[in-house]
């Protein structure tokens, strides 16, 4: 039997309906898109207590964390609604005809803008039942861009997904938008079938490297390949410089333990590997710093994956245990810190720099700071990389060599802050080279993520009456336009 939110429909029928809604939504005025998105945010806020109760039941995440996540999710919908209303993301560029264009041939009248890419399939994440799920960042970005959305619910929170879909449908219909603007489907194979459907024009994903890679390959093997924006795996290395280690051992150890145990370590930005000077006080501070007690992981699949990846890392001959709670491998694990050296990491980076999705960190000791740049250059693509350093000559000198290497490998480089707790802003970058993501030029968080769901089109030699409003000389939408290569804001006013 086909599992969908509307049980009588096949995947083909659901996708076809979403595709029809997408045509209507793409033609909907920016201000109207914004109004509907705000109505969705308001409805989710109003349903908050019920949604949080279901989420707690399905994911075992604590209530305060879920309350914060729902707040972030509706904030996210509203900040994207603001972007939809401003419409600046269409990046309107107007080149007027120029008979003397120095290229050697006359320049025609060319007008380029970004248009909605078409129906988007969003594979929801296990670890963010709100913010990377049915109404999450991918959905908000796709809606703001002008696309309808089909969400493949995560099997870890099916009831929450359906309940949110119902809340959203009611809000959407009351706001006068198509009921099929957002639909939810369930089932692994149904997700694949939807991804292969010719009406789907882009897909987004947050999850494992193996799952994301399998779906990326399916998206690319379609007769018409489509963009697949996968956010996969990252160990998010952090480097403690010598002076900081000498001056702030306790603060660094406490901050690190708090970061790797937040949400039980089930965060894509968890700093899974920490490089520390071998003789520093940070080692002792890490042994003794307070850490939260045992707590459950998201679901059985995550638990099994956690124990398997922890066993694989801890079983490596180059790895020993720095600290471990009684319940380090139970269904409610406690923080574990493993220990190795930078020489061992340089000898076998693939097996030692590996993601363990749970409250575990690998501490890597070093004696020669020159080794850190070698490690940084050898890293796979990362979502984040962190430098913990003091503003003294020795640490700054180290940072000057590390920063370019880390910027080459990671989407976000941090200075003296831990990478967990990703803020939703205009300048946020949540991405990175593979395997952090399958699209290193994009971000999955922040308003710049709208770009994933847009496609450029240029109109050549068009009469004004047939041009999209964004590209007209009288600029009725009062959008920022670039005219003959020069930015002109509010050109029509
Ligand atoms: P996952 O197994 O990759 O699943 C994510 C989504 O993709 C689910 O909807 C899943 O469907 C679907 N899927 C996975 N493999 C597929 C395949 N071969 N064909 C079709 N659909 C497929 O991720 P997860 O369940 O969230 O967690 C598993 C592991 O992923 C974790 O232990 C962790 O290592 C990693 N993870 C990483 C992040 C991150 O932010 N980078 C986030 C969460 C998890 P079903 O639900 O129907 O199986």
């Amino acid at each position: 039997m086909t599992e969908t939110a509307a049980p009588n429909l096949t995947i083909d029928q659901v996708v076809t309906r979403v595709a029809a809604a997408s045509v209507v939504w793409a033609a909907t005025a920016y201000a109207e898109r914004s109004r509907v998105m705000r109505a969705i945010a308001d409805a989710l806020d109003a349903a908050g207590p019920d949604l949080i109760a279901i989420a707690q039941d399905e994911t075992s995440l604590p209530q305060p964390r879920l309350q914060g996540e729902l707040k972030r999710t509706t904030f996210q919908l509203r900040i994207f609604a603001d972007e939809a209303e401003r419409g600046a993301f269409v990046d309107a560029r107007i080149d007027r005809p120029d008979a003397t264009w120095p290229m050697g041939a006359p320049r025609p009248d060319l007008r380029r803008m970004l248009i909605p890419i078409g129906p988007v399939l969003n594979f929801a994440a296990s670890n963010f039942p709100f913010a990377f799920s049915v109404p999450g960042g991918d959905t908000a970005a796709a809606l703001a861009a002008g696309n309808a959305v089909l969400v493949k619910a995560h099997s870890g929170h099916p009831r929450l997904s359906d309940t949110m879909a119902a809340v959203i449908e009611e809000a959407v219909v009351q706001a006068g938008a198509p009921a099929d603007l957002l639909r939810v489907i369930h089932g692994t194979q149904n997700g694949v079938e939807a991804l292969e459907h010719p009406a789907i024009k882009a897909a987004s994903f947050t999850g494992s490297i193996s799952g994301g890679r399998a779906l990326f390959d399916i998206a690319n093997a379609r007769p018409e390949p489509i963009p697949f924006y996968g956010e996969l795996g990252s160990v998010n290395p952090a480097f403690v410089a010598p002076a900081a280690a000498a001056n702030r051992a306790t603060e660094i150890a406490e901050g690190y333990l708090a970061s790797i145990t937040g949400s039980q370590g089930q965060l894509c930005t968890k700093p899974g590997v920490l490089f520390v000077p071998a003789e520093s006080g940070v080692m002792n501070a890490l042994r003794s710093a307070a850490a939260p007690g045992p707590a459950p992981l998201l679901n059985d699949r995550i638990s099994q994956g956690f124990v398997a990846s922890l066993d694989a890392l801890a079983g490596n001959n180059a790895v020993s245990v720095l600290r471990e709670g009684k319940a380090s491998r139970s269904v409610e694990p406690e923080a574990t810190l493993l220990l190795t050296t930078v020489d061992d990491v340089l000898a076998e980076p693939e097996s030692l720099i590996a993601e363990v999705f749970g409250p575990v960190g690998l501490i890597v000791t070093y004696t020669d700071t020159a080794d850190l740049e070698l490690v940084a250059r050898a890293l796979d693509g990362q979502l984040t990389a962190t430098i913990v350093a003091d503003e003294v000559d020795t640490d700054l000198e180290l940072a000057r060599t590390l920063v370019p290497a880390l910027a080459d490998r990671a989407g976000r480089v941090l200075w003296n802050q831990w990478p967990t707790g990703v803020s939703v802003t205009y300048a946020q970058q949540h991405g990175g080279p593979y395997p952090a993501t399958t699209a290193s030029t994009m971000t999955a968080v922040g308003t710049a993520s709208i770009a994933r769901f847009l496609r450029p089109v240029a109109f050549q030699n068009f009469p004004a009456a047939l041009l999209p409003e964004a590209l007209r000389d009288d600029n009725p939408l009062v959008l920022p336009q670039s005219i003959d290569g020069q930015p002109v804001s509010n050109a029509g006013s």
Side-chain angles (χ1 to χ4, degrees):
M1 192 188 93
T2 303
E3 299 167 87
T4 68
N8 298 327
L9 299 180
T10 63
I11 292 298
D12 176 57
Q13 287 167 327
V14 177
V15 174
T16 303
R17 287 182 181 208
V18 169
S22 210
V23 174
V24 176
W25 187 243
T28 301
Y30 301 146
E32 187 61 15
R33 276 185 212 166
S34 169
R35 194 180 62 78
V36 174
M37 291 176 69
R38 282 176 212 287
I40 295 173
D42 292 346
L44 289 166
D45 277 340
D50 291 344
L51 298 177
I52 285 163
I54 301 171
Q56 249 185 300
D57 187 42
E58 289 191 315
T59 67
S60 302
L61 290 168
Q63 191 187 54
R65 148 72 210 266
L66 290 166
Q67 282 167 333
E69 192 188 327
L70 181 57
K71 184 173 178 188
R72 168 203 171 127
T73 304
T74 54
F75 163 77
Q76 191 162 249
L77 278 161
R78 292 186 182 103
I79 196 174
F80 279 97
D82 291 346
E83 291 295 298
E85 189 159 11
R86 288 202 310 127
F89 60 81
V90 302
D91 189 26
R93 296 163 182 244
I94 298 174
D95 290 347
R96 297 193 182 112
D98 183 350
T100 63
W101 190 232
M103 192 191 89
R107 185 175 81 185
D109 185 293
L110 271 170
R111 293 165 189 248
R112 179 189 193 267
M113 67 179 290
L114 304 177
I115 64 168
I117 196 166
V120 172
L121 174 63
N122 165 16
F123 288 83
S126 58
N127 55 341
F128 280 92
F130 296 114
F132 286 82
S133 183
V134 174
D138 293 331
T139 294
L143 289 177
N147 309 292
V149 179
L150 181 63
V151 180
K152 153 62 178 79
H154 195 280
S155 49
H157 37 83
R159 204 154 47 86
L160 177 67
S161 302
D162 282 345
T163 308
M164 290 193 289
V167 169
I168 293 168
E169 181 179 353
E170 193 180 334
V172 161
V173 170
Q174 272 181 13
D180 295 312
L181 184 60
L182 183 147
R183 289 292 180 202
V184 168
I185 59 171
H186 299 267
T188 315
Q189 193 46 41
N190 284 336
V192 172
E193 195 182 323
L195 184 60
E196 288 174 333
H197 197 289
I200 293 294
K201 297 302 179 194
S204 54
F205 168 95
T206 307
S208 65
I209 294 179
S210 58
R213 182 62 201 239
L215 292 167
F216 172 84
D217 288 343
I218 289 169
N220 282 285
R222 293 170 28 131
E224 179 196 349
I226 53 171
F228 182 88
Y229 302 111
E231 191 216 308
L232 315 182
S234 190
V235 296
N236 308 297
F239 299 81
V240 182
N247 296 332
R248 301 189 272 133
T250 304
E251 175 204 316
I252 292 167
E254 288 175 352
Y256 181 70
L257 272 158
S259 189
I260 66 160
T261 55
S263 299
Q264 269 294 61
Q266 300 163 113
L267 295 174
C268 48
T269 52
K270 183 195 81 172
V273 178
L274 184 72
F275 292 85
V276 178
E279 301 302 325
S280 74
V282 176
M283 301 302 292
N284 271 337
L286 284 167
R287 277 191 200 94
S288 58
L297 296 177
L298 286 163
N299 56 53
D300 289 348
R301 185 160 84 191
I302 298 279
S303 280
Q304 286 156 16
F306 167 70
V307 173
S309 52
L310 173 56
D311 282 346
L313 189 56
N316 189 301
N317 286 335
V319 172
S320 58
V321 175
L322 183 66
R323 76 181 265 172
E324 150 177 78
K326 286 193 195 100
S328 66
R329 281 171 179 74
S330 76
V331 288
E332 299 195 9
E334 282 177 289
T336 295
L337 294 179
L338 302 174
L339 184 63
T340 190
T341 68
V342 75
D343 288 339
D344 289 311
V345 166
L346 286 168
E348 44 170 338
E350 299 82 15
S351 41
L352 291 178
I353 306 288
E355 186 178 19
V356 179
F357 203 64
V360 170
L362 177 68
I363 310 304
V364 184
T365 58
Y366 69 86
T367 49
D368 183 352
T369 53
D371 286 337
L372 298 183
E373 189 190 351
L374 297 179
V375 169
R377 296 265 172 217
L379 288 169
D380 280 341
Q382 304 291 332
L383 292 172
T384 74
T386 299
I387 298 175
V388 179
D390 281 358
E391 293 196 29
V392 297
D393 286 349
T394 49
D395 281 9
L396 289 173
E397 195 181 326
L398 171 62
R400 278 191 197 97
T401 61
L402 270 184
V403 171
L406 296 179
D408 182 62
R409 300 284 72 217
R412 181 163 54 110
V413 184
L414 296 95
W415 178 261
N416 283 330
Q417 289 187 343
W418 299 106
T420 41
V422 183
S423 192
V424 179
T425 72
Y426 308 102
Q428 184 56 276
Q429 174 57 31
H430 189 64
Y434 187 85
T437 75
T438 58
S440 64
T441 54
M442 294 290 165
T443 178
V445 176
T447 56
S449 68
I450 296 177
R452 294 174 300 166
F453 305 119
L454 293 162
R455 186 175 67 77
V457 178
F459 297 88
Q460 183 169 339
N461 196 35
F462 261 61
L466 289 180
L467 279 170
E469 287 181 310
L471 295 177
R472 278 175 26 191
D473 289 335
D474 61 345
N475 196 2
L477 300 176
V478 200
L479 294 175
Q481 292 176 325
S482 150
I483 300 180
D484 298 337
Q486 301 301 320
V488 180
S489 56
N490 300 341
S493 57

